[in-house]
Structures are given as structure tokens and as C-alpha cells.
């Protein structure tokens, strides 16, 4: 497999959705009884945080590419 860029937004989104899935499974098995609004709020907040992390990562990488292209033109 080729090496790829680290994408923190996707990592955060995956972890949040995995945690929501685990809470759902615990609720379905009767081990825990998380309120539905907690899982919904956790998922929405986590996806919003993942989006912000993705946007910040994109902005930093774009700025870095612009600096490299400017320095190579000189």
C-alpha cells in the first residue's frame, strides 16, 4: 500500500462514529442505557470537530504548498 497523508479529520470522525456504535450496541444488549440525545449530541459535536480539524489541516497544507512554490520560483 502506498503511503498517504495523515488526515486527522477522518480519524476523529471514525473514532466518534465508532464510539456511537459501541454505545448503541451496549444499549441494545442491555448493558447500558445511554440517553438517545447524548448519543446524537456526541455524534453531531464530534463530526463538527472533525470538520474543523479537516479544514485546518487543508489550510495548513495549502499554505505550505504555496510557500514551497514561491521559494522555488525565486
Amino acid at each position: 500500500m502506498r503511503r498517504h497523508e495523515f488526515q486527522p479529520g477522518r480519524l476523529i470522525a471514525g473514532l466518534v462514529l465508532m464510539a456511537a456504535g459501541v454505545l448503541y450496541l451496549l444499549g441494545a444488549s442491555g448493558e447500558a442505557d445511554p440517553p438517545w440525545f447524548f448519543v446524537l449530541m456526541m455524534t453531531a459535536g464530534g463530526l463538527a470537530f472533525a470538520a474543523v480539524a479537516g479544514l485546518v489541516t487543508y489550510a495548513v497544507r495549502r499554505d505550505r504548498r504555496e510557500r514551497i512554490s514561491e521559494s522555488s520560483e525565486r
Side-chain angles (χ1 to χ4, degrees):
M1 182 174 165
R2 285 184 20 215
R3 293 186 62 107
H4 57 276
E5 294 180 331
F6 175 63
Q7 297 178 341
R10 288 187 180 188
L11 174 66
I12 293 168
L15 291 174
V16 166
L17 292 175
M18 192 180 321
V22 167
L23 283 175
Y24 178 77
L25 286 174
L26 286 174
S29 68
E31 295 292 322
D33 190 25
W36 65 269
F37 57 86
F38 173 74
V39 177
L40 182 66
M41 296 292 281
M42 181 188 76
T43 303
L47 290 178
F49 182 61
V52 169
L55 288 172
V56 168
T57 303
Y58 174 75
V60 167
R61 288 184 179 157
R62 185 182 67 193
D63 185 49
R64 215 178 266 168
R65 281 193 301 258
E66 288 175 359
R67 286 184 189 178
I68 290 172
S69 67
E70 286 176 359
S71 65
S72 66
E73 290 175 359
R74 291 181 183 181

